Amino acid sequence: MRLSSDSLSAVHEVTWDAIVIGAGVAGCVAALHLARRGRRVLLVDAKPSPRPKVCGGCMSALGWSMLKKLGVADVLQSAGVPTVDSLTLHYRSKQHRLDIPSGIAVSREVLDPILLAAAEAAGVSTLLETRATVLDDAEMAMNHQFRRVRLATRNATAQHESEIASAKVVIAADGLGSPSLASLQPFECVVSRRSRIGLGAVVEGHNGTAELPPATITMLIHRHGYIGLAYCENNRVSIASAIDAKFLAQFSTPAAALQSIAGESGHAIDRMLTDVKLVGTKSLTQRQRFVACDRLFVIGDAASYVEPFTGEGMTSAMVMAEAVTELAHRGIDDWSRDYAKLWQSWVGRHRRYRQLSVRMLTGGLRSGIMTASAFNLLTTFPAIGRAVAHAVCRPTIRHPKVFS
């Protein structure tokens, strides 16, 4: 059920089973799972839906299988979302094509509203354009069986600026930096010194050409960053990039920086970027030191984020959302501080297992010598390329046990 900003007072009168902050992929999936278990869930987001968001839009095979289990695959296919089954890497005059497990390409403007609608259909109450701040009341969370969240509408009046809502469990899934946790002392976002800046847009495309074939993720690699392009729904092209901040500062516009990277790979994307407003991000590679405390879990990009390659970001968000559901479900009925410890441990293992291959891959691409050597190796031993592609886009996962 979609609530209006006038519903703040009614929200205050309810003790929710769970408040989920952030209506992106991680937040919607977590809210949906809890609602299907019969929990009373409030989903809050500071922005409207849909909204543009920097995202390559490529969902790996594992992510696609999870969307099928959630029951939204038919809706996505009806929206014209295409499959993706190959990855083409371009570096200077070299290129190499890899077959990958079949996934999809979908813009966040299409995916997020579909997941939000599925959550609402399952009984989740949603409150958009409302800022949420988790209050620093750990003692109350432990002793009084709930944690409090301050909710404030973006257009709030002085007479009715905000309300306090209470929940037995709170899940923060509000993206890079997790602004909802700003009041909590233990939580600190650590940004990598080598972190890049994200830039992206979804533009009107044209029929597949030799330069940008359909069903393919096209990666243009440069020592100072890379650009990913893929056809998504309605024959549009999703453009997403990760660029060194110092390199970006050398150009008069972000579009000029992207054109420079594409040009070195022999691609001209000037026409795609004409009259297009690129959306930027905060520093991409960052993580929270702590991802749980009393009656609070942190998931998705808010917990940890590395430069994704071929759909790892959205898939990782869904894996975390599914994993946290069991802890949250049990914690609603009978909270234990052990649940926070278990989640901290699980996220640590998840970071190492799911993100290690991506971190190693994107780190190697920063070196021109390593990149050139890798292309020569792929040409000589194509089986290595297939193994790497399946490692990054693996269709299955050894899901760590949350409970011993």
Side-chain angles (χ1 to χ4, degrees), residues 291 320 342-355:
V291 293
M320 294 182 79
L342 283 167
W343 187 242
Q344 188 75 35
S345 175
W346 188 96
V347 172
R349 294 196 301 272
H350 175 72
R351 284 168 175 164
R352 290 191 297 271
Y353 176 68
R354 285 300 290 168
Q355 298 178 347

Side-chain angles (χ1 to χ4, degrees), residues 145 173 275 298 327 337 358 402:
Q145 290 80 51
D275 299 325
V298 187
L327 280 174
R337 283 181 172 169
V358 178
V402 175

